[in-house]
Amino acid sequence: MNRFIIKFRGLSEEKYRFEADDTFFNQFKESEIKKGTVHFDVKMVFNKNLITLNISLKGNVFVECDRCLDYFYQKIKHKTILYVEFGYENSDITDVDNKIILSNKENEIVLDKHFYDYIHLSLPYQKVHPKHNNGNSGCNIEMINKMAEFSSVNNKKTDPRWDQLKNLFN
């Protein structure tokens, strides 16, 4: 199932292009993204004991709006560097987040999980529909009105027992 593999033995510097689509996101059941298209450009710089992968990604992913809960396409863009060192056995657990260790016996780098992580890291903290050209929110207006209707800020009725407790602070 790994489609994002770089074979590095015998190479010096190479550029690679990958594309993640719906089938990529479906292999990660825990993903909040179920659809989308993301393009990856990877430039490999090969040194004696270290491989540096300069990775940039750009695309659109289908995510749930944090405000109205409707789905929309979110544009994403991200650049990062992944360092690959060589050791006795494979390990993603290192003292640095953007470094992995490959066994000296390996001849390829599998990037599926790393691409998955980079896509999710490129998502904004708050995913909200972009505004329309006229400046209005792109969110589902029915849901926004429903939230305003049930909002405690707009709700004038309060429980008298809580009102008594509020008086203790005064």
Side-chain angles (χ1 to χ4, degrees):
M1 190 80 168
N2 298 331
R3 299 182 312 162
F4 305 99
I5 297 175
I6 294 178
K7 295 185 185 273
F8 59 85
R9 293 284 182 205
L11 300 176
S12 56
E13 287 190 11
E14 292 286 326
K15 291 184 181 182
Y16 298 89
R17 188 156 177 79
F18 299 101
E19 181 179 304
D21 55 16
D22 298 350
T23 56
F24 173 78
F25 296 110
N26 289 334
Q27 70 178 330
F28 299 99
K29 300 300 179 202
E30 72 279 3
S31 176
E32 64 182 293
I33 302 169
K34 300 299 180 202
K35 295 186 340 183
T37 303
V38 181
H39 299 279
F40 295 91
D41 290 316
V42 180
K43 182 180 180 196
M44 180 178 71
V45 179
F46 192 62
N47 296 323
K48 184 176 181 182
N49 296 322
L50 178 74
I51 296 175
T52 303
L53 299 175
N54 296 303
I55 301 170
S56 63
L57 67 92
K58 188 175 186 180
N60 291 303
V61 292
F62 202 58
V63 293
E64 186 177 37
C65 177
D66 291 335
R67 186 180 298 150
C68 71
L69 305 179
D70 276 357
Y71 283 85
F72 70 101
Y73 279 98
Q74 173 74 52
K75 289 184 180 185
I76 58 170
K77 189 162 74 168
H78 187 69
K79 289 186 178 188
T80 189
I81 297 175
L82 179 63
Y83 298 101
V84 181
E85 289 185 350
F86 297 98
Y88 292 108
E89 58 184 40
N90 294 347
S91 176
D92 283 343
I93 301 170
T94 62
D95 54 344
V96 183
D97 287 338
N98 61 340
K99 181 173 79 171
I100 60 173
I101 298 173
L102 286 182
S103 164
N104 289 320
K105 299 172 187 172
E106 289 291 332
N107 64 356
E108 60 186 33
I109 305 167
V110 179
L111 295 170
D112 293 48
K113 183 65 173 139
H114 299 287
F115 283 174
Y116 170 83
D117 292 340
Y118 297 144
I119 290 170
H120 282 78
L121 287 171
S122 69
L123 291 173
Y125 292 121
Q126 188 175 24
K127 298 173 292 298
V128 179
H129 281 92
K131 292 186 178 188
H132 293 298
N133 291 338
N134 60 9
N136 293 335
S137 171
C139 285
N140 180 339
I141 193 69
E142 291 176 22
M143 182 62 87
I144 300 299
N145 291 339
K146 224 16 142 179
M147 287 189 321
E149 179 184 335
F150 292 107
S151 172
S152 63
V153 174
N154 295 335
N155 194 350
K156 300 292 184 216
K157 293 182 182 180
T158 59
D159 188 335
R161 295 173 291 182
W162 291 110
D163 292 338
Q164 293 294 325
L165 290 174
K166 288 179 188 175
N167 289 334
L168 291 176
F169 289 114
N170 296 335

